[in-house]
Each structure stands twice: as structure tokens, then as C-alpha cells.
Amino acid sequence: MATFQLEFVSPEKLLLSRPVEMALLPAADGQMGVLPGHAPMIVALRGGVISVREGGVETESLFVPGGFAEITPTRVTVLADEATPVAQLSRNEAEQRITAAEKVLAELNAEGATPEKREAAMARVLAARAMLAAAQSA
């Protein structure tokens, strides 16, 4: 089966770099499957799980709270501030993130913050909720 190079980069290090058959990405507009030969594009990622398929089976599942992916016909580069294997997610940590993010959002709403700030805060709430959902499914 044809493959493409998948690279997963965080600010600290290169987390993953290997040929894969398929990657499922949590794109901002919805779940997105990438196969070899995909049209070039750059997509924003929302909080969710990136799944990697090799040899016809899922070999890796990583939670990201957001980021970007650059897609070319032969390579996908994922840029994210953090990535956690789904098996290592903590429900307690996810619940704490939800509480903290909802508090910040409420404060921004109360003080009449700009729509951009409120939107960024809402994205953090949604990412924390996605983290909890991923932790519960693991």
C-alpha cells in the first residue's frame, strides 16, 4: 500500500516521523482523512484525536488541543503545542482543564472582552471537553 511521511512536531521536539498509510485529523471544519497524494493545503486543528493507520490497522492515537497541519501529496506535518497518547489521558486532568477554561470564558464574557478573546477561550473549553471525551473512550 502507498504511504506518505507523517511528521508530528511540538515546540520541544519531533514526536513522530515515519511513513504511514493514513492519518485522521481533527480539522477545524470536521474530521479529515489524509491519504497519499492528497491535495496540498494547510488546515487548523481543533482539540481532538489524531489517528494513524499502518498495515491496515490503527497504530497510534494522540490527543492534541489544537494546532495546524500542512498537507502535501507526500508529507503531512502536524504542528501542535502538546500531544498526549490517548491511553495516557487523565479524566481528572481533563475535568480540571474544563473548569479552568470555563472560568476564563465566564470572566471574559463578564468584562465584555473582544470577540477574538472570547473565541479563543471557547476553543480552549471545547478542546478540554474533547480531551475528556477521548479519556473516557480510552
Side-chain angles (χ1 to χ4, degrees):
M1 171 133 218
T3 63
F4 61 90
Q5 188 69 21
L6 175 63
E7 292 185 344
F8 203 114
V9 182
S10 76
E12 293 87 32
K13 62 182 177 178
L14 179 65
L15 299 169
L16 177 79
S17 180
R18 67 174 181 252
V20 301
E21 292 173 358
M22 180 179 184
L24 293 171
L25 308 175
D29 292 333
Q31 197 72 358
M32 176 181 188
V34 180
L35 295 167
H38 197 286
M41 62 179 56
I42 295 176
V43 296
L45 301 176
R46 61 179 162 72
V49 176
I50 294 177
S51 299
V52 178
R53 293 187 67 83
E54 299 171 271
V57 297
E58 185 177 294
T59 58
E60 195 127 22
S61 293
L62 299 165
F63 173 81
V64 295
F68 294 91
E70 179 185 16
I71 302 166
T72 70
T74 60
R75 177 181 309 275
V76 172
T77 303
V78 175
L79 306 167
D81 286 338
E82 81 181 78
T84 307
V86 170
Q88 295 177 11
L89 289 176
S90 160
R91 290 180 189 178
N92 186 41
E93 181 183 346
E95 289 168 351
Q96 289 174 359
R97 285 190 186 196
I98 291 170
T99 301
E102 286 176 342
K103 180 181 176 189
V104 169
L105 180 60
E107 290 170 357
L108 290 173
N109 284 332
E111 67 187 38
T114 64
E116 294 82 12
K117 286 184 179 180
R118 290 194 316 262
E119 197 172 303
M122 178 54 86
R124 285 190 293 278
V125 169
L126 295 174
R129 289 178 183 168
M131 181 182 191
L132 180 61
Q136 289 174 334
S137 70

